[in-house]
Amino acid sequence: MKTPNISKQDILNAFQYRHATKEFDETRKLTEDDINFILKTANLSPSSFGFEPWHFVVVQDKELRELLKPVAWGASLKLDTASHFILGLSMKAPMTNWNSEYIMHMMKNVKQFPKDVIQMYSKFYREFQESDFNLDTDKKLFDWASKQTYIALANMMTSAALVGIDSCPIEGFHQEKTEALLKEKFGVDTDKYGLSYMVAFGYRKAEPPHVKTRRNLDDIVTWQ
Ligand SMILES: Cc1cc2nc3c(=O)[nH]c(=O)nc-3n(C[C@H](O)[C@H](O)[C@H](O)COP(=O)(O)O)c2cc1C
């Protein structure tokens, strides 16, 4: 495996360049290679115990995008203009519980653990859920999965920025109404998945209206 050698300045430039793009240039589209690259960075993202508790729905159908508008106030201009529009779904309790079929599938078929490792891993995972992190409600389990799906979000947006692609993360939606819509019209099994966020990709229509502002590094870091 080749050791990465991107300069720190190039990476910081990409972080400065990325901004929450409110409106995209409709005439410019990502290539298939571009969107696959972005999705691969989600795929390669870290997750707790490596269980990848996420799923991504790429919504390219105009009619489906239209359906999202009434429930997603934070997405309106993006739904019309983004080249690619993704729903970030996170797994719910029936998928992520320590003794679920999905977790067994991950250990057995994806990670290809031998039987004794599966037993040991299951024990740790159960203890983690039941005592370390107290994931004792469906809501807690979903929020925990969501935290991980947000890591994939950050990675997708940063990778996009590194190759000059714009993005906008979106939480401006009514969760219950949107999930009802996803169940009815998008074929999402909402017993198994909930919606964590939406994210739009494309190319900016105009330069950002504001200079990027952030607190001083000293205000957010304590050295001890
Ligand atoms: C989790 C999350 C949810 C967000 N939701 C929305 C949204 O619904 N609509 C929107 O236009 N921007 C949304 N934003 C963008 C933020 O407003 C933006 O990232 C922030 O103001 C900082 O600006 P910058 O990203 O351009 O540096 C969201 C950002 C994050 C991280």
Side-chain angles (χ1 to χ4, degrees):
M1 181 72 49
K2 211 172 121 202
T3 307
N5 189 25
I6 314 167
S7 80
K8 295 185 194 88
Q9 196 51 55
D10 276 351
I11 294 171
L12 285 178
N13 281 349
F15 273 80
Q16 284 289 352
Y17 180 79
R18 187 211 58 75
H19 78 292
T21 305
K22 302 298 172 196
E23 187 174 4
F24 295 89
D25 177 350
E26 272 181 274
T27 65
R28 296 188 64 196
K29 303 288 176 204
L30 272 65
T31 63
E32 207 180 313
D33 185 61
D34 290 332
I35 191 66
N36 283 336
F37 157 72
I38 289 169
L39 289 167
K40 268 184 202 162
T41 68
N43 193 203
L44 287 169
S45 295
S47 58
S48 186
F49 289 83
F51 286 146
E52 308 173 41
W54 47 56
H55 191 84
F56 303 94
V57 179
V58 187
V59 187
Q60 296 307 88
D61 184 290
K62 274 201 162 171
E63 281 172 25
L64 288 179
R65 283 198 190 183
E66 203 61 37
L67 290 176
L68 290 170
K69 280 191 196 167
V71 289
W73 51 267
S76 49
L77 264 182
K78 296 97 178 171
L79 281 164
D80 282 329
T81 61
S83 166
H84 286 71
F85 194 89
I86 297 179
L87 307 175
L89 306 181
S90 301
M91 290 181 185
K92 292 184 175 174
M95 302 287 278
T96 52
N97 254 324
W98 69 272
N99 55 357
S100 76
E101 254 177 53
Y102 170 75
I103 296 298
M104 184 50 80
H105 157 73
M106 283 300 290
M107 292 190 292
K108 212 168 141 187
N109 305 319
V110 178
K111 296 180 173 298
Q112 307 209 326
F113 286 162
K115 267 193 182 146
D116 55 331
V117 176
I118 290 182
Q119 263 186 354
M120 192 186 66
Y121 217 73
S122 279
K123 188 174 166 285
F124 277 134
Y125 187 46
R126 181 181 187 172
E127 274 171 20
F128 171 79
Q129 290 199 333
E130 290 182 348
S131 91
D132 296 339
F133 256 55
N134 253 327
L135 301 173
D136 55 359
T137 66
D138 287 2
K139 168 91 175 105
K140 282 189 198 175
L141 267 172
F142 173 72
D143 287 345
W144 172 69
S146 241
K147 287 197 280 188
Q148 299 167 59
T149 310
Y150 277 83
I151 298 174
L153 169 67
N155 285 340
M156 287 193 281
M157 294 195 300
T158 302
S159 314
L162 278 161
V163 295
I165 294 170
D166 287 303
S167 62
C168 187
I170 297 155
E171 268 183 342
F173 56 86
H174 190 289
Q175 201 169 31
E176 212 180 301
K177 287 183 188 165
T178 313
E179 285 185 9
L181 192 65
L182 295 187
K183 181 176 177 175
E184 198 192 332
K185 304 281 186 189
F186 291 66
V188 173
D189 183 343
T190 51
D191 290 332
K192 293 182 172 170
Y193 294 92
L195 179 62
S196 299
Y197 56 76
M198 304 172 177
V199 57
F201 292 98
Y203 293 94
R204 61 190 67 185
K205 188 171 182 193
E207 284 309 307
H210 311 290
V211 179
K212 200 183 269 302
T213 60
R214 289 296 189 266
R215 289 151 71 198
N216 286 328
L217 198 58
D218 288 348
D219 289 342
I220 67 162
V221 181
T222 301
W223 293 81
Q224 291 182 328

